[in-house]
């Protein structure tokens, strides 16, 4: 993985030192080498910070074909690149590096903007076509790799991270509308927390010419809810085969490849299928000083079962509190949980252990309906006694912290009725969003309350996407909404790329291989959720490879310990929140009323466990707003 950027300055000549300064802000994404390129007229600039994974000795970018006037910078991995490379070598194409990134040049020369059908991987890239005088900026299908941009009708700027755009002279200001959407639990697909700084949507590309910018979609999720084509056994065998192939693709590297291993089914499946290849693999696990959230024993059991070496790091609540600010600096966005801070610390441990690449289990819950909200949607799709039975069982189920696996609030609200009318049902995942947003109503300042009142974030979000076919099962419809919002903005960013790349770690995601996803989207719904068992096809696919204890577990979302618990002793994060909300800088934020915030905080321990957990999400959002303001807004003034 790497950091990339581009500038098209149409008024004044670019200065090399400005590009170099911006690339330096991406050092954590690419500590191995940095390079910039300027066009002869100094209007076009490209920058690249390299994390060398493939082609260690000769992978400097931009990659180019100077004869054809094509220059490109790439972040990520293109899988099956060896076959593509061999194809073009037979046709006489001369490659100048051993990297996978360089295949983008001959593919573009042959297919133009149709090249995406040939790409499978985690990527973002920028191409400058000198002859056509156009720039192309693209992002992978799922949003694994970030790409932000600014277009002011005259100049264009793009970069892997917002901090590089700020180094190019863009000013950081709050986008209060997008912030209001996030506070209400529905992040924008195309915006950011900062005014005029957008992001390329997953599965899309931009074409920028002298006077225009157009956005085009090249891929989207499609679902086929038809009759069952194969037996259960055949579907399960096919899924295992496709996942195994996806893993093999992601094991190709010129450096050692490690694994994140939580002890849940997703990472355990990836580890178990990889172990069958017979290599001496290293896995990494995070454990907590809170026994309720600690899953290390399951990771140890899987490691012993597969013969894999396991390196665990124990993270304390004090370390989570101390690292919150750094994690937000790298996230560059608002967050409602501390799980990403734990991932930040785990990635640091992996880096210190000498690794650059890890395989992870992210994406399985989204494509195989693994979250509790999907089981609630499944129950709602049933009728009669079957529905009643499943709801009773869901009410009895709880997560690691004791929260029920079912929505329990009052959802008979006008804003939600409007969504139900539009979609034909009310997605359970947006009930959770509503709960968090409703909790925050108590702390807004009067001016920001007007913005919140004027914004139905769910309707705003639906305007950004095209809905799946009407006949899709409601579980697949909800999965689609999740994959268009929380997947890129939470799972792949805060729990993925941004925390991994903060320590120069490349995460590879077998469950988000395009062939795996497209196969999963055609599965009968009963192979995703069967009774109370989520991700049924995955459990069955690796049943013979994992310990019975892991096979028999249901979904337990990766979670860091909560700030406010049932004990009288205040946690380090609770103390940290207390100090921040009482500060002068917090009072300067444009969103919150400090007095109301303090009152809510002081009432936390008198709330029920469920209400306390929802309110805690609100305080994490406030804390992240405080640090975004500190790191970016105030430093940009």
């Amino acid at each position: 993985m790497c950091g990339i950027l581009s500038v098209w300055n149409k008024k004044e000549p670019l200065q090399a030192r400005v590009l170099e300064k911006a690339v330096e802000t991406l050092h954590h994404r690419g500590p191995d080498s940095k390079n910039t390129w300027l066009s002869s007229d100094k209007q076009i600039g490209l920058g690249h910070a390299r994390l060398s994974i493939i082609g260690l000795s000769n992978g400097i970018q931009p990659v180019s074909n100077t004869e054809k006037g094509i220059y490109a910078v790439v972040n990520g991995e293109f899988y099956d690149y060896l076959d593509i490379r061999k194809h073009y070598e037979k046709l006489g194409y001369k490659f100048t590096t051993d990297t996978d990134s360089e295949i983008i040049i001959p593919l573009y020369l042959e297919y133009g903007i149709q090249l995406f059908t040939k790409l499978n991987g985690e990527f973002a890239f920028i191409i400058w076509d000198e002859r056509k005088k156009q720039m192309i900026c693209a992002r992978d299908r799922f949003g694994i790799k970030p790409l932000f941009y600014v277009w002011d009708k005259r100049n264009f700027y793009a970069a892997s991270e917002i901090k590089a755009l700020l180094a190019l002279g863009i000013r950081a200001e709050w986008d209060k509308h997008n912030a209001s959407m996030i506070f209400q639990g529905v992040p924008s697909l195309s915006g950011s927390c900062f005014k005029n700084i957008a992001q390329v949507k997953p599965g899309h590309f931009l074409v920028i010419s002298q006077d225009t910018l157009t956005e085009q979609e090249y891929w989207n999720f499609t679902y086929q809810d038809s009759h069952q084509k194969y037996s259960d056994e055949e579907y399960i065998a096919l899924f295992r085969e496709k996942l195994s192939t996806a893993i093999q693709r992601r094991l190709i590297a010129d450096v050692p490849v490690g694994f994140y291993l939580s002890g849940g089914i997703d990472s355990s499946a990836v580890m178990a299928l990889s172990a069958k290849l017979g290599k001496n693999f290293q896995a990494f696990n995070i454990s907590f000083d809170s026994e309720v959230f600690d899953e290390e024993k399951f990771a140890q059991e899987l490691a012993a079962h597969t013969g894999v070496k396991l390196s665990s790091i124990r993270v304390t609540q004090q370390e989570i509190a101390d690292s919150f600010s750094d994690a937000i600096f790298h996230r560059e966005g608002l967050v409602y949980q501390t799980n990403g801070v734990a991932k930040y610390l785990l990635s640091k441990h992996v880096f210190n252990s000498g690794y650059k690449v890890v395989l992870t289990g992210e994406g399985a819950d989204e494509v195989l309906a693994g979250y509790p909200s999907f089981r609630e949607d499944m129950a709602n799709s049933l009728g009669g006694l079957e529905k009643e039975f499943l709801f009773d069982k869901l009410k009895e189920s709880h997560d690691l912290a004791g929260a029920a696996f079912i929505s329990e609030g009052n959802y008979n609200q006008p804003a939600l009725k409007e969504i139900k009318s539009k979609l034909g049902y009310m997605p359970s995942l947006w009930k959770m969003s509503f709960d968090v947003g409703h909790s925050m109503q108590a702390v807004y300042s009067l001016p920001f309350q007007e913005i919140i009142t004027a914004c139905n974030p769910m309707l705003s979000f639906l305007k950004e996407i095209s809905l799946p076919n009407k006949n899709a099962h409601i579980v697949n419809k909800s999965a689609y909404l999740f994959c268009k919002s929380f997947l890129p903005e939470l799972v792949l960013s805060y729990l993925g790329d941004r925390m991994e790349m903060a320590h120069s770690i490349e995460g590879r995601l077998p469950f988000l291989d395009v062939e795996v996803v497209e196969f999963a989207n055609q599965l009968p719904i009963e192979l995703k959720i069967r009774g109370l068992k989520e991700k049924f096809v995955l459990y069955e696919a690796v049943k013979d490879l994992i310990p019975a204890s892991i096979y028999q577990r249901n979904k337990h979302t990766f979670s860091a310990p909560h700030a406010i618990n049932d004990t009288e002793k205040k946690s380090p994060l609770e103390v940290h929140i207390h100090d921040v909300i009482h500060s002068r800088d917090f009072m300067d934020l444009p969103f919150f009323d400090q007095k109301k915030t303090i009152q809510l905080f002081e009432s936390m321990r008198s709330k029920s466990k469920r209400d306390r957990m929802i309110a805690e999400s609100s305080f994490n959002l406030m804390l992240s707003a405080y640090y975004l303001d500190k790191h970016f807004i105030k430093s940009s003034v």
Side-chain angles (χ1 to χ4, degrees):
M1 300 296 179
C2 307
I4 60 176
L5 62 84
S6 70
V7 182
W8 189 345
N9 195 332
K10 300 170 187 176
K11 295 295 183 181
E12 301 174 357
L14 282 168
Q15 301 296 318
R17 59 180 176 79
V18 175
L19 276 180
E20 291 164 0
K21 178 183 176 183
V23 171
E24 189 60 39
T25 67
L26 301 174
H27 175 80
H28 51 283
R29 298 190 71 90
D32 294 328
S33 66
K34 297 174 184 65
N35 197 41
T36 59
W37 173 86
L38 274 174
S39 60
S40 58
D41 62 7
K42 290 186 167 48
Q43 283 196 337
I44 308 298
L46 298 174
H48 188 260
R50 185 178 189 227
L51 179 66
S52 53
I53 304 294
I54 294 174
L56 302 183
S57 62
N58 63 354
I60 278 189
Q61 294 192 37
V63 290
S64 63
N65 184 317
T66 54
E67 181 183 343
K68 301 290 186 181
I70 308 298
Y71 303 84
V73 285
V74 179
N75 170 28
E77 300 292 346
F78 298 134
Y79 301 116
D80 301 329
Y81 82 96
L82 289 173
D83 291 337
I84 295 172
R85 182 185 178 102
K86 288 175 183 176
H87 166 74
Y88 284 111
E89 285 176 334
K90 287 180 180 178
L91 296 177
Y93 190 88
K94 303 296 183 183
F95 289 89
T96 60
T97 75
D98 295 322
T99 68
D100 60 301
S101 298
E102 196 176 357
I103 65 168
I104 201 70
I105 302 292
L107 283 173
Y108 175 73
L109 289 171
E110 181 173 359
Y111 296 102
I113 59 175
Q114 305 302 317
L115 84 166
F116 298 100
T117 59
K118 306 297 178 181
L119 297 178
N120 184 357
E122 300 113 1
F123 59 82
F125 63 80
I126 303 167
I127 294 175
W128 168 244
D129 188 328
E130 179 70 35
R131 294 184 178 182
K132 291 184 178 180
K133 298 297 180 184
Q134 71 178 21
M135 187 174 287
I136 296 170
C137 299
R139 195 171 174 205
D140 64 65
R141 293 166 176 83
F142 313 108
I144 302 169
K145 296 293 105 188
L147 191 57
F148 296 90
Y149 69 93
V150 173
W151 165 248
D152 64 6
K153 308 299 182 184
R154 297 179 297 111
N155 302 318
F156 177 81
Y157 310 83
S160 295
E161 296 188 9
I162 290 170
K163 55 183 67 70
L165 296 176
L166 304 186
L168 290 168
I170 305 302
R171 183 178 176 183
E173 300 178 71
W174 283 109
D175 187 317
K176 294 179 184 177
H177 172 75
N178 281 340
S180 74
M181 288 186 65
I182 298 169
F183 288 144
Q184 296 179 83
V186 187
S188 168
L189 188 60
S190 58
S192 75
C193 291
F194 303 100
K195 189 179 295 184
N196 301 321
I197 298 179
Q199 54 183 319
V200 181
K201 292 189 286 192
H204 286 69
F205 65 95
L206 308 179
V207 178
I208 305 96
S209 62
Q210 187 69 32
D211 301 308
T212 62
L213 181 151
T214 60
E215 181 183 61
Q216 299 181 46
E217 181 182 87
Y218 68 85
W219 187 89
N220 203 353
F221 295 85
T222 57
Y223 300 91
Q224 182 180 329
D225 293 325
S226 60
H227 65 280
Q228 192 158 329
K229 294 180 180 179
Y230 308 107
S231 67
D232 283 1
E233 292 72 23
E234 288 170 322
Y235 273 120
I236 291 165
L238 283 168
F239 181 80
R240 174 161 163 165
E241 178 185 329
K242 290 184 180 296
L243 182 59
S244 296
T245 300
I247 290 169
Q248 290 178 50
R249 288 183 177 125
R250 285 156 179 77
L251 290 175
I252 296 175
D254 294 335
V255 296
V257 177
F259 296 80
Y260 282 151
L261 183 60
S262 69
I265 185 61
D266 307 338
S267 60
S268 294
V270 172
M271 187 74 264
L273 287 169
S274 300
K276 280 181 62 65
L277 300 175
K279 294 186 178 180
N280 188 24
F281 288 124
Q282 174 73 61
F284 298 92
N285 166 261
I286 188 167
S287 63
F288 298 107
D289 57 357
S290 171
E291 186 176 339
V292 173
F293 294 90
D294 191 10
E295 297 186 273
E296 183 182 6
K297 64 180 181 180
F298 294 103
Q300 289 175 336
E301 190 171 355
L302 190 281
H305 189 81
T306 57
V308 171
K309 293 183 291 183
L310 180 66
S311 175
S312 291
I313 177 175
R314 180 164 289 269
V315 171
T316 67
Q317 295 184 55
Q318 184 66 58
E319 288 173 306
I320 290 176
D322 292 344
S323 299
F324 196 102
S325 173
D326 289 341
I328 296 303
F329 175 75
H330 287 284
R331 167 66 182 98
E332 300 181 329
L334 297 163
V335 303
Y336 69 88
Q337 55 174 233
T338 59
N339 301 358
V341 185
K343 197 73 175 285
Y344 171 87
L345 294 167
L346 175 60
S347 297
K348 182 178 181 180
H349 172 65
V350 173
F351 173 80
N352 290 337
S353 300
Y355 279 76
K356 291 182 176 182
V357 181
V358 291
L359 267 62
T360 81
E362 272 77 29
D365 287 316
E366 291 73 21
V367 301
L368 297 174
Y371 292 115
S373 63
F374 296 141
R375 276 181 277 170
E376 183 175 343
D377 289 331
M378 185 70 170
N380 276 318
S381 74
L382 303 173
L385 292 176
E386 191 176 11
K387 177 177 182 177
E388 185 178 331
F389 173 80
L390 188 52
F391 264 113
D392 287 342
K393 289 296 183 183
L394 287 173
K395 289 176 182 177
E396 295 172 4
S397 303
H398 295 81
D399 68 10
L400 291 172
F405 275 156
I406 195 167
S407 305
E408 296 179 320
N410 175 18
Y411 306 109
N412 189 28
Q413 307 289 333
L416 300 186
K417 287 180 179 178
E418 196 171 0
I419 297 304
K420 186 175 181 179
S421 174
K422 192 172 185 65
L423 295 178
Y425 78 109
M426 186 60 215
S428 175
L429 72 98
W430 276 354
K431 293 179 183 178
M432 175 189 71
S433 298
F434 178 82
D435 287 339
V436 174
H438 183 71
S439 172
M440 294 198 71
Q441 292 284 342
V443 301
Y444 293 133
S445 65
L446 287 178
F448 190 64
Q449 182 69 55
E450 294 179 5
I451 296 174
I452 289 287
T453 303
C455 173
N456 183 331
M458 300 168 198
L459 278 182
S460 296
F461 177 78
L462 291 177
K463 291 176 182 177
E464 294 190 71
I465 64 172
S466 55
L467 293 172
N469 54 299
K470 292 182 179 179
N471 295 327
H473 193 282
I474 68 168
V475 170
N476 285 333
K477 289 180 181 179
S478 290
Y480 179 83
L481 294 173
F482 202 109
C483 286
K484 289 293 186 179
S485 56
F486 291 110
L487 176 63
E489 285 302 295
L490 173 69
V491 177
L492 300 180
S493 178
Y494 180 49
L495 300 178
D497 173 87
R498 307 307 284 275
M499 297 302 103
E500 292 155 358
M501 290 304 290
H503 299 292
S504 309
I505 300 297
E506 172 178 293
R508 297 181 175 183
L509 294 79
F511 285 106
L512 292 183
D513 183 279
V514 63
E515 293 181 10
V516 171
V517 172
E518 290 182 344
F519 179 76
N521 288 351
Q522 312 311 312
L523 287 172
I525 202 67
E526 294 77 14
L527 281 164
K528 295 182 179 180
I529 301 176
R530 183 163 296 189
L532 289 176
K533 195 71 171 180
E534 84 287 350
K535 293 178 289 193
F536 178 80
V537 66
L538 176 59
Y539 277 94
E540 296 304 308
V542 296
K543 182 177 180 179
D544 62 319
L545 302 178
I546 61 176
S549 60
I550 294 176
Y551 173 78
Q552 291 163 2
R553 295 182 80 200
N554 270 350
K555 170 69 181 176
H556 287 279
T557 304
F558 170 73
S559 297
H562 293 293
I564 302 173
N565 50 49
D566 291 324
T567 66
E568 292 185 5
K569 184 179 179 181
K570 293 182 179 180
S571 74
L573 191 58
E574 183 178 2
V575 172
H576 191 58
I577 293 171
H578 172 277
D579 293 344
V580 164
I581 65 175
H582 282 80
S583 70
R584 174 57 191 259
D585 285 342
F586 184 84
M587 185 168 61
D588 291 340
L589 288 171
F591 310 115
F592 313 116
D593 181 297
Q594 189 173 38
K595 183 178 180 180
K596 293 177 182 177
T597 301
I598 293 170
Q599 288 174 344
L600 177 64
F601 182 77
E602 290 176 347
S603 71
M604 289 284 281
R605 290 185 178 275
S606 64
K607 292 181 177 293
S608 68
K609 179 176 289 188
R610 176 184 178 277
D611 289 344
R612 190 167 66 234
M613 290 173 64
I614 292 170
E616 186 171 322
S617 296
S618 301
F619 283 107
N620 287 330
L621 285 164
M622 292 182 237
L623 196 59
S624 57
Y626 170 85
Y627 282 117
L628 280 179
D629 195 75
K630 178 180 178 181
H631 289 310
F632 300 108
I633 305 294
K634 283 188 167 59
S635 64
S636 187
V637 174

